[in-house]
Amino acid sequence: MSEKKPNVLEGFKAFLMRGNVVDLAVAVVIGAAFTNIVNSVVKGIINPLVGTIGTKNLDGYSSCLKGPCTGTGDSATGVRILWGSVLGATLTFLITAAVVYFLMVLPMSKYLARMEARRKAKEGTHEVIEVTELEVLKEIRDALVAQRGSGHDGR
């Protein structure tokens, strides 16, 4: 008796149909679309605001580590530390993180907190109803016991 080996295409289909692969694909597509929004905010709003203080392009800022430092681009001489590009990338990251936090994470957290509070309030109301019903049933039981007790005493 021979065991049936799984088909490569069947394995690939099973891999694609797993929920986390689809979720990951959706996250990548949404992330790519959201990157365009963030880049537009940085280029259209943040860079002009930074430009009022200094320059829009931070890549030009550098320090000469070993001279003589002359020229730019491919014709540059000497050893330069391009701290402007590092600063620009850091600012882009911080701005991206702030936009993601304030426009996506914070509103979603508030929404989920509201939903959780509603769920807990609903559970609390349900518990109060159950406690009230239990108290009513105890009162009925006590009244029935009292009636039986008085009925037995009168005989």
Side-chain angles (χ1 to χ4, degrees):
M1 289 184 199
S2 65
E3 289 184 25
K4 183 179 177 185
K5 290 185 179 179
N7 186 355
V8 173
L9 291 177
E10 289 175 5
F12 184 66
K13 181 181 175 185
F15 170 74
L16 289 179
M17 291 307 182
R18 289 193 310 197
N20 55 355
V21 173
V22 175
D23 291 343
L24 181 61
V26 169
V28 168
V29 170
I30 295 293
F34 189 70
T35 299
N36 290 333
I37 293 172
V38 171
N39 288 338
S40 297
V41 168
V42 169
K43 289 178 185 174
I45 297 172
I46 303 301
N47 283 349
L49 290 175
V50 171
T52 60
I53 299 169
T55 180
K56 287 184 186 180
N57 188 1
L58 296 175
D59 292 340
Y61 291 114
S62 64
S63 295
C64 185
L65 191 59
K66 182 178 178 185
C69 292
T70 58
T72 59
D74 292 338
S75 63
T77 61
V79 179
R80 295 179 186 215
I81 296 177
L82 304 173
W83 59 270
S85 61
V86 174
L87 179 62
T90 303
L91 285 174
T92 301
F93 170 76
L94 291 174
I95 291 165
T96 303
V99 168
V100 167
Y101 179 75
F102 289 112
L103 294 182
M104 294 183 77
V105 173
L106 190 62
M108 184 58 85
S109 295
K110 287 183 178 182
Y111 172 75
L112 292 175
R114 267 189 267 134
M115 296 305 289
E116 183 67 18
R118 286 181 185 165
R119 186 187 64 78
K120 285 185 178 182
K122 201 175 200 180
E123 282 182 2
T125 303
H126 186 59
E127 288 175 10
V128 168
I129 290 171
E130 286 180 6
V131 169
T132 305
E133 288 175 1
L134 184 61
E135 290 176 359
V136 169
L137 290 173
K138 284 181 181 178
E139 289 176 7
I140 292 171
R141 179 200 63 201
D142 293 343
L144 289 172
V145 168
Q147 275 183 343
R148 286 184 186 161
S150 66
H152 287 208
D153 290 341
R155 282 187 174 174

